[in-house]
Amino acid sequence: MGAVAINRKRSDESFNFNQQSTNPLRNSPYFQASKKRRFSFAMSEDSGKPASSSSNPTISRISRYPDAKAPLRREIHAPSRGILRYGKAKSNDYCEKDGNFFVRKYDDAKRSALEALRFVKKDKEFVGLSDEVEKEAVVSDDSSVEEIVVVDCDDDEEDLVGEKKKKKKNQPSFSSGVTDVKKGDNFRVEDTSMMLDSLSLDRDVSDASSLEAYRKLMQSAERRNSKLEALGFEIVLNEKRLSQLRQSRPKPVEKRVEVPREPFIPLTEDEEAEVYRAFSGRNRRKVLATHENSNIDITGEVLQCLTPSSWLNDEVINVYLELLKERETREPKKYLKCHYFNTFFYKKLVSDSGYNFKAVRRWTTQRKLGYALIDCDMIFVPIHRGVHWTLAVINNRESKLLYLDSLNGVDPMILNALAKYMGDEAKEKSGKNIEVNSWEMEFVEDLPQQMNGYDCGMFMLKYIDFFSRGLGLCFSQEHMPYFRLRTAKEILRLRAD
């Protein structure tokens, strides 16, 4: 009886194996063979008893076991191993032979590819580079190769435990190729050589393109260098020609400005001694000179303003302007016909209330002057601006209004007021309508400038002196000490030379 049961058991196993071998999932590495199925005879649905009974006690004993349910199918995430018994494999052995075969092949191919990559040396082609560049290319091995450590987990299983990566910036890594191999479902051993070729070709193409671009840049630079050399030669040649032309040209003759002698006649020893005596402290309250026409007394204290580093006062300026007018009267052919307003004229004409012609209307009557302002060549108007002296000139000969400031100041309001005054004066005294507003207004810039804070009055007097002579302003700051002594001498003698 026992033999019959054993034989039936073996026949059932062979039937079960044949039935499972026909399953197409047997070839999958994730298929797990089920355990041995227990058989029982079919039971009737109505009675729950066996459909047929036998007197065999073995069969009746087996039929008492409940029906075995098929286990749920699940995917296995690791290959299973079979156990050899009695020199023959069970159903799991066949699963390992069919399913785990490709897994082992995949691991072997991957390991061989990585080992080959670790010691591979690629030959690269270079275009037109020196030996030094080739040496650098050989020395700079690919440092991005991954070192993979393989740890044996069992007799036949292998797992990737760790990776050590050494990469350099801006260099392609081989890890991308290894990742693509891992992702492949149907991997073959022949694909390793293709992977090696593809990894080496990409870098050669990029190097060749960069070298080609570098060579083109070098060629364009060489072409530019040749052009620059030609241009440089032309520049040198033209500079030589220009220098030769300049040498061949006649040098312009510099016109020497003839400095008149009269404004710079030096003082004699007696004249200087006279001036220094007047500057002494003993004569401070003594009247040294009196101008009868202007009724101005010059005392030693008033004359002190002509000493060095002193500001000029109204008395000295007004007396000197009267002396200039008398000089013109003595020698009318030698000097221009001018009119000299005193320092109070502009203050009357333009006061705090504004322009006022009536305040100065009687200053220039025909009976008082003996001539009309419109007939003068030049009219000088001293302007006192608090602590600074400037000069305004009405030039009737050239129909101009000039403003002279030894500090290069500008004030158009002064010239506008004088233009209005000349129009009112001509209409009042001569009955003529003169459009003085259309005259040119000039703020003279090219004129001698003071280099200190106290010679502004002296510069103003010399502007008037030289203009009345018909001369240019050919003096400077260096002449101011001499002009101070000369003006003091002329005031003491009441005669301008």
Side-chain angles (χ1 to χ4, degrees), residues 311-314 343 346-347 383-390 403 414 456:
W311 290 354
L312 268 63
N313 52 38
D314 295 290
T343 57
Y346 187 76
K347 293 179 181 179
I383 308 294
H384 187 245
R385 310 190 64 182
V387 293
H388 184 58
W389 289 100
T390 61
Y403 183 78
I414 296 174
C456 56

Side-chain angles (χ1 to χ4, degrees), residues 329-363:
T329 305
R330 290 194 310 267
E331 301 178 86
K333 295 182 179 180
K334 189 177 181 179
Y335 301 98
L336 298 178
K337 187 177 181 178
C338 302
H339 181 74
Y340 307 87
F341 280 112
N342 60 28
T343 57
F344 305 107
F345 170 76
Y346 187 76
K347 293 179 181 179
K348 289 285 185 177
L349 178 65
V350 181
S351 59
D352 295 337
S353 59
Y355 175 80
N356 187 4
F357 175 73
K358 293 181 180 181
V360 295
R361 183 177 59 181
R362 296 181 179 274
W363 286 42

Side-chain angles (χ1 to χ4, degrees), residues 322-333 335:
E322 290 289 340
L323 296 177
L324 293 180
K325 183 62 181 178
E326 292 175 358
R327 182 185 67 180
E328 175 195 331
T329 305
R330 290 194 310 267
E331 301 178 86
K333 295 182 179 180
Y335 301 98

Side-chain angles (χ1 to χ4, degrees), residues 32-33 78-85 88-97 100 104 155-157:
Q32 174 65 41
S80 61
R81 298 177 59 210
I83 302 174
L84 291 174
R85 291 182 180 178
K88 234 178 172 182
K90 291 176 145 186
S91 61
N92 285 350
D93 296 339
Y94 292 95
C95 177
E96 181 179 0
K97 280 184 179 180
N100 204 26
R104 289 187 177 184
D155 294 336
D156 298 324
E157 293 183 7

Side-chain angles (χ1 to χ4, degrees), residues 35-306:
K35 294 181 180 181
K36 183 177 70 175
R37 188 183 183 90
R38 293 182 180 180
F39 290 91
S40 63
F41 295 96
M43 305 292 293
S44 63
E45 294 180 359
D46 297 335
S47 61
K49 294 180 181 180
S52 62
S53 60
S54 175
S55 60
N56 193 341
T58 304
I59 296 174
S60 61
R61 187 172 63 252
I62 291 173
S63 62
R64 296 176 185 175
Y65 291 96
D67 293 336
K69 295 181 180 180
L72 294 175
R73 293 182 179 179
R74 61 187 181 89
E75 294 183 354
I76 303 300
H77 299 286
S80 61
R81 298 177 59 210
I83 302 174
L84 291 174
R85 291 182 180 178
Y86 306 107
K88 234 178 172 182
K90 291 176 145 186
S91 61
N92 285 350
D93 296 339
Y94 292 95
C95 177
E96 181 179 0
K97 280 184 179 180
D98 296 337
N100 204 26
F101 172 77
F102 294 100
V103 176
R104 289 187 177 184
K105 287 294 183 182
Y106 167 75
D107 293 338
D108 294 341
K110 180 171 63 177
R111 184 171 60 255
S112 61
L114 293 177
E115 290 177 355
L117 286 174
R118 191 181 305 174
F119 304 101
V120 69
K121 291 185 178 179
K122 297 178 289 298
D123 296 332
K124 300 181 180 180
E125 296 181 1
F126 298 94
V127 180
L129 292 180
S130 60
D131 297 337
E132 295 180 359
V133 178
E134 293 181 359
K135 291 178 181 179
E136 292 179 359
V138 172
V139 172
S140 60
D141 293 335
D142 187 8
S143 60
S144 62
V145 177
E146 298 179 358
E147 296 182 2
I148 302 174
V149 181
V150 180
V151 180
D152 295 336
C153 295
D154 279 327
D155 294 336
D156 298 324
E157 293 183 7
E158 296 176 353
D159 294 332
L160 297 177
V161 177
E163 295 181 353
K164 295 182 180 179
K165 299 182 179 181
K166 299 178 181 178
K167 295 184 178 181
K168 290 183 179 179
K169 280 190 175 181
N170 301 326
Q171 289 186 353
S173 176
F174 281 48
S175 59
S176 59
V178 177
T179 306
D180 295 336
V181 173
K182 290 181 180 180
K183 291 181 179 179
D185 293 332
N186 299 324
F187 178 81
R188 293 175 301 174
V189 178
E190 293 79 8
D191 293 338
T192 56
S193 61
M194 296 176 63
M195 180 182 68
L196 294 175
D197 295 337
S198 63
L199 289 174
S200 61
L201 285 176
D202 292 340
R203 306 188 75 182
D204 293 339
V205 171
S206 63
D207 292 343
S209 62
S210 62
L211 291 174
E212 184 65 22
Y214 176 74
R215 185 170 61 182
K216 290 181 179 179
L217 289 174
M218 290 295 294
Q219 292 175 356
S220 62
E222 290 176 357
R223 289 194 295 269
R224 287 195 297 271
N225 290 337
S226 61
K227 293 180 180 179
L228 291 175
E229 290 177 358
L231 290 175
F233 176 75
E234 292 180 1
I235 291 171
V236 173
L237 182 61
N238 291 329
E239 287 180 351
K240 290 182 179 179
R241 290 177 179 176
L242 182 59
S243 62
Q244 293 176 358
L245 289 174
R246 288 176 178 174
Q247 293 176 0
S248 62
R249 288 180 181 178
K251 295 181 179 180
V253 179
E254 296 180 358
K255 294 183 180 181
R256 294 182 179 179
V257 179
E258 294 182 1
V259 178
R261 180 176 178 272
E262 290 183 358
F264 302 97
I265 297 175
L267 275 65
T268 63
E269 294 181 0
D270 295 338
E271 292 172 345
E272 288 185 1
E274 182 183 356
V275 171
Y276 287 131
R277 281 196 302 269
F279 288 161
S280 64
R282 295 179 300 176
N283 299 322
R284 291 182 64 87
R285 297 185 178 275
K286 184 178 179 180
V287 177
L288 302 176
T290 301
H291 191 266
E292 294 179 357
N293 293 335
S294 61
N295 197 20
I296 300 175
D297 293 333
I298 303 298
T299 62
E301 186 177 1
V302 173
L303 199 63
Q304 289 291 322
C305 68
L306 290 174

Side-chain angles (χ1 to χ4, degrees), residues 336-338 373 375-379 394-398:
L336 298 178
K337 187 177 181 178
C338 302
L373 290 182
D375 298 331
C376 295
D377 295 329
M378 289 188 179
I379 301 171
I394 302 172
N395 190 345
N396 290 330
R397 290 195 307 174
E398 299 179 3

